Each structure stands twice: as C-alpha cells, then as structure tokens.
Amino acid sequence: MTPVRLTLACAMALCAFAANSLLARSALGAGEAGAASFTALRLLSGAAVLWVLSRKLRPGAPRATEAGWPSAAALLLYAAPFSWAYLKMGAGVGALLLFGAVQTTMFAAALAHGERPPLRVWAGLGVALCGLAALTLPGAHAPPAAAALAMLCAGASWGWYSLRGRRARDGLCATADAFVRAGPAAAVLWGIAALWAPPAAHLSGRGIALALASGGLASGLGYTIWNTVLPYLSAARAGVVQIATPALTAVAAVALLGEPVTARLVIGGAAITGGVTLAVLGRIRRAVAATAVARAGGARQS
C-alpha cells in the first residue's frame, strides 16, 4: 500500500468512526428513530455488509471465528446504551465520554493482568479522568446523569470488545462474526420494545436512512477499511488515529449539527485527549524505536 493510499484510507476510517456518533445523534436527537430500532437496524445492516465483504476479501476463511458469543454480547452492550445516550446528549460530548471510557477500561484490564505502567501513564489516566468528571459533573451544560452513565457503560463494553479483538487471528472475519451474532439479538429487543415501549421502536424514513448509513457505511465499510490498513500502521500512527476521533467528532458536531461550543466541552475534551496522549506517549516512542531498530537491522542484512 502506497503512502498516499494509506493516508487516504486512514482519513476514511477516521471519518467513519466520527460519523457513527454524528449519524446516531442526527437520528435519535431529532426523534427520527428510537434507541431500540436504531440499534437493531445499525447492527443488522453492519452484519450484512461485513458478512459480504468478509466472504469476498477472505474467501477461504472459516465461517466461525474465535470472536464467539462473548464478543457479540460486548458489541450489543456497546451499541444499545450508545443509542439510548444519544437521545439525550450531543455528539461531541458523547464521543469524548465514549473514548475516555474505552481507554480507561483498557488501562484497567492491563493493570488486572499484571502490567505496572510508569508514572507518566498514571498521570495521563488521572488527567483523562478529570476530563470525564468535568464533562459529567452537574452544571448548566452537563448531559443528563443517566445518559452520561449509559455512554460510559457503552465505552466500557467497547473496551471489552476491543480487548477480545486483539486475540483475533483475522480482524475482519471476527468483526463480521460478532455483528452477525449480535444483529438478531438486537432485532429481538426491537420487537420487545415495539410491544412494551413503542417510542423506543419508532423509525421514520429518515431514521432508516441514518441507521443504514451508520451500520452499513460507518460501521461496515469503516471497520473493513480499518482492518485493511491496520497491518500497515505502526502503534504510533494507530494511536494518533484513535486519539483524533473524538476531537474530529466534536468539531464536526459543532459545524454540521449546530452543537454549542462550551467551556465544559473545550476543557473536558482537552483533558481527555491530552491525558490519553500522555498515557500512550511512551508506547508510541517504544514503537518508533522498535521500528527504527528493525529497519536498521534490515539495512545491515541487505
């Protein structure tokens, strides 16, 4: 993959990740879809696109992968509260809360598995947690507490899903498998909502289009592009893309959705992004050093 194609692919993946929050907020915040209907249609359309692409790009791959039902459960536990939270909060704040919770969950898992990070990582985590607190503490522009908690739970579930995905031998097939398993479960929840909570099952024509775009394009094609370029990315570049996602979402939410720029959003967002950057800085430097050593070794052999 040439540098130009790699750059374009990374930009497309970054836009797809940000688009998920923007599309969800556009549908849910405007009452075009209920949380259950949006979640179900997003996962089902994502499953369809990922299944087709995995069969086309990985024709010899087995139909069952190591993703399994735990990954499907983690995916559903991310998607459902994600949709519900966006009924009540803006895309920018939601993306920052989601991203902060994902990284915090992954740090906590590393600690539980015996990793002992240096002081810099603890400092970065502390700054990021302060940013999360700044976004969620009661005040004039704070999101509702229940919605903030739902988004934090969605981030924790996505962190769990990401940790499981690290063990996958084929990221694209594992992602497709998780979506195929989670989609029907989300459809069952949609049917239950239609009987017991009709507003959660509501879906307009525009809501259908936004949910299909979120599932088929932002999730299906976005994850496919990301899994395609990931082998060509160093840890440094992959980290930059992940750090840039919530910042891009917040800027796009202001420009495209008319969300207000508040001091809480700026301060909290800067703290979360800066804290995570500080925490992963050492990992990025080690990756760059390892790459340089490997290239030097290859040059000597040649």
Side-chain angles (χ1 to χ4, degrees):
M1 184 176 291
T2 64
V4 173
R5 291 181 64 185
L6 183 61
T7 300
L8 291 175
C10 287
M12 291 172 64
L14 177 61
C15 291
F17 294 158
N20 261 325
S21 290
L22 298 172
L23 291 167
R25 178 57 183 171
S26 296
L28 296 160
E32 302 290 347
S37 57
F38 186 89
T39 299
L41 199 54
R42 177 191 175 190
L43 292 182
L44 289 170
S45 59
V49 170
L50 285 163
W51 189 89
V52 171
L53 290 174
S54 66
R55 296 305 174 267
K56 183 176 180 59
L57 300 177
R58 307 284 195 275
R63 290 184 176 271
T65 74
E66 64 269 34
W69 288 107
S71 290
L75 180 62
L76 183 59
L77 290 174
Y78 146 74
F82 173 91
S83 297
W84 188 84
Y86 271 134
L87 290 169
K88 303 174 182 296
M89 71 166 57
V93 172
L96 288 165
L97 290 174
L98 179 75
F99 178 79
V102 169
Q103 297 301 318
T104 301
T105 300
M106 297 182 78
F107 284 145
L111 290 175
H113 284 84
E115 291 189 26
R116 294 297 177 262
L119 182 60
R120 180 186 58 255
V121 175
W122 284 106
L125 180 59
V127 172
L129 290 175
C130 288
L132 288 175
L135 287 176
T136 56
L137 288 175
H141 299 286
L149 180 60
M151 189 60 80
L152 292 174
C153 290
S157 297
W158 186 255
W160 174 31
Y161 178 83
S162 299
L163 289 167
R164 288 190 52 81
R166 284 183 169 181
R167 302 196 296 267
R169 289 167 293 185
D170 188 313
L172 176 57
C173 289
T175 303
D177 180 64
F179 267 78
V180 168
R181 292 172 188 263
V188 171
L189 294 178
W190 186 7
I192 294 173
L195 293 175
W196 299 100
H202 165 70
L203 194 63
S204 69
R206 185 169 182 268
I208 293 174
L210 291 169
L212 290 175
S214 177
L217 297 178
S219 296
L221 291 180
Y223 295 163
T224 301
I225 293 170
W226 181 245
N227 282 310
T228 300
V229 304
L230 199 54
Y232 299 94
L233 294 177
S234 66
R237 290 181 178 178
V240 168
V241 171
Q242 293 175 6
I243 292 169
T245 300
L248 175 63
T249 304
V251 173
V254 172
L256 300 178
L257 303 182
E259 294 185 1
V261 180
T262 64
R264 182 189 291 265
L265 177 63
V266 173
I267 295 172
I272 293 171
T273 305
V276 172
T277 302
L278 179 63
V280 304
L281 189 59
R283 196 184 316 163
I284 289 175
R285 286 176 175 170
R286 288 193 297 272
V288 172
T291 301
V293 170
R295 288 178 178 175
R300 284 195 298 270
Q301 291 177 0
S302 62

